[in-house]
Amino acid sequence: MPTEYGVVRAVVYRVGTGEPPEEHVALVVGDVAAAGSPVLARVHSECWTGEVMRSQKCDCRDQLDQAMRAVADAGMGLVVYLRQEGRGIGLGNKVRAYALQQEGADTVDANRILGFADDARRYDVAAAILRDLGVGRVALMTNNPNKVRGLVEAGIEVTERRALHAEPNEHNAEYLAVKVKRMGHEG
Ligand SMILES: [Zn+2]
């Protein structure tokens, strides 16, 4: 697939037996299976509001863009793009959570009010995709130590964590601060 980052191989994975099936995508640059060293990688969760609609409420699009650029610049690496909107709670619930936030709840509280865990994303799927692509060791682009832990528990060796830096704006500054204060992210 030709993209503004160059030519990217898109590999779609179908998970489970639901109808329609759950589909995730690996965006791959270079022969990652043959890489002798840890592969530059990001595990990214879908954010329709940020990535398609360019919502200013989060930094997802910025992080995806930085990760794709880094992979393209390195000429080797991949982004595992998990189709799990709103930290795994779905688009409808995410928009309901936004409504709660407008009434004063922060992103963690809003999810709790709706009865969801702070972060319902599943890293076992990402680990299985990495293994299928022949990638067992990664340099992971993330600010989220829980993501590193989740992948390690799922059997992927994370040799290095590389931070991504988002520019705060007036709409997402508090969201970014909550990720650091309440969700263990590195700023
Ligand atoms: Zn987002």
Side-chain angles (χ1 to χ4, degrees):
M1 183 169 69
T3 72
E4 69 175 86
Y5 311 103
V7 175
V8 172
R9 187 159 67 101
V11 186
V12 177
Y13 289 87
R14 289 184 162 177
V15 178
T17 54
E19 195 52 54
E22 190 183 311
E23 291 182 321
H24 305 289
V25 194
L27 301 157
V28 184
V29 173
D31 186 356
V32 289
S37 48
V39 173
L40 187 60
R42 172 159 177 83
V43 173
H44 187 90
S45 292
E46 174 176 31
C47 177
W48 182 85
T49 50
E51 290 156 12
V52 177
M53 291 316 300
R54 301 186 176 218
S55 156
Q56 301 285 290
K57 279 186 70 70
C58 59
D59 59 340
C60 306
R61 182 170 177 276
D62 205 11
Q63 293 199 331
L64 179 61
D65 183 59
Q66 284 181 44
M68 288 302 299
R69 265 178 219 295
V71 165
D73 287 350
M76 175 79 75
L78 76 168
V79 173
V80 176
Y81 186 88
L82 300 172
R83 309 278 302 281
Q84 41 190 18
E85 183 75 34
R87 297 191 181 120
I89 68 174
L91 180 60
N93 286 317
K94 178 184 183 181
V95 169
R96 286 170 71 202
Y98 279 176
L100 289 170
Q101 288 168 35
Q102 203 140 22
E103 291 159 17
D106 74 19
T107 174
V108 173
D109 287 333
N111 277 9
R112 283 184 185 157
I113 290 165
L114 289 172
F116 295 102
D118 298 349
D119 196 334
R121 289 178 288 194
R122 300 201 323 271
Y123 299 119
D124 54 343
V125 171
I129 290 172
L130 288 169
R131 266 194 295 277
D132 183 72
L133 293 166
V135 175
R137 288 196 305 158
V138 297
L140 194 67
M141 293 178 277
T142 183
N143 299 330
N144 183 356
N146 294 325
K147 196 179 281 186
V148 174
R149 208 171 303 130
L151 283 179
V152 168
E153 282 170 7
I156 299 296
E157 189 183 339
V158 180
T159 59
E160 184 191 341
R161 184 179 70 80
R162 291 197 194 171
L164 296 169
H165 297 290
E167 283 302 317
N169 64 41
E170 61 174 307
H171 304 288
N172 72 9
E174 197 186 322
Y175 162 87
L176 295 176
V178 166
K179 285 210 291 194
V180 172
K181 266 186 283 186
R182 300 198 60 185
M183 298 172 69
H185 287 219
E186 309 289 332

